Amino acid sequence: MKRFAFILVAAMFVSFFMVSCKQATPSTITADCIEYIKDGNYEAYVNTFNMNDEEKAQLKEMFEQKGKETIEKMEGVASYEIVEENISEDGTKATVKAAITYGNGQTQDSKFHFVKVDDEWKQEMNK
């Protein structure tokens, strides 16, 4: 029985380690971004962008002023669904479509644009 418990615990640690080492995809980053917005964690959100620190600071300030107000007006994020992920043939750009449903019942389709920078996906401003 002790051996079984040890094997079970070891398997859990290996599984956790493999999941934590998994490289983020545009879809998982999009889900994280929506969660950051939902939680009001604008610093984490702007850190997903491919921009310099000054631009990130400006974007964070904008979200803290306007984004927070907009989310509150729509009664927060109730749920979301990742609808589609498209990665370019050369693997350097991606677009993710998500449907975001707000607390007031309104659903909004959103597009997230990504570019691969130093083998990591970074968000680009919508084009």
Side-chain angles (χ1 to χ4, degrees):
M1 189 68 171
K2 287 182 183 180
R3 183 178 177 156
F4 176 74
F6 174 77
I7 291 171
L8 183 62
V9 170
M12 288 174 44
F13 278 117
V14 169
S15 296
F16 176 75
F17 178 73
M18 293 186 78
V19 168
S20 65
C21 291
K22 188 177 179 182
Q23 187 172 6
T25 66
S27 289
T28 60
I29 297 169
T30 298
D32 289 345
C33 288
I34 296 168
E35 288 292 332
Y36 296 148
I37 292 169
K38 181 179 177 179
D39 296 340
N41 188 350
Y42 302 118
E43 184 166 350
Y45 178 65
V46 300
N47 282 328
T48 67
F49 281 88
N50 181 34
M51 52 180 55
N52 64 43
D53 290 342
E54 184 178 323
E55 292 169 323
K56 286 179 184 178
Q58 291 173 351
L59 186 60
K60 180 183 175 214
E61 184 178 325
M62 182 190 77
F63 271 103
E64 288 173 341
Q65 292 174 359
K66 302 284 183 191
K68 182 178 179 180
E69 179 182 314
T70 301
I71 295 295
E72 286 174 356
K73 188 184 289 184
M74 299 179 86
E75 300 176 21
V77 175
S79 64
Y80 62 90
E81 177 185 359
I82 304 301
V83 177
E84 182 178 50
E85 176 186 82
N86 289 312
I87 299 176
S88 65
E89 285 187 31
D90 64 2
T92 61
K93 293 187 178 205
T95 303
V96 176
K97 293 179 185 176
I100 303 170
T101 302
Y102 297 94
N104 65 3
Q106 182 180 348
T107 298
Q108 176 184 8
D109 293 329
S110 298
K111 270 189 181 179
F112 294 77
H113 300 274
F114 294 89
V115 63
K116 209 162 210 185
V117 178
D118 297 328
D119 207 33
E120 281 187 53
W121 289 106
K122 291 290 186 178
Q123 199 175 171
E124 289 188 305
M125 293 302 288
N126 290 343
K127 298 177 179 185

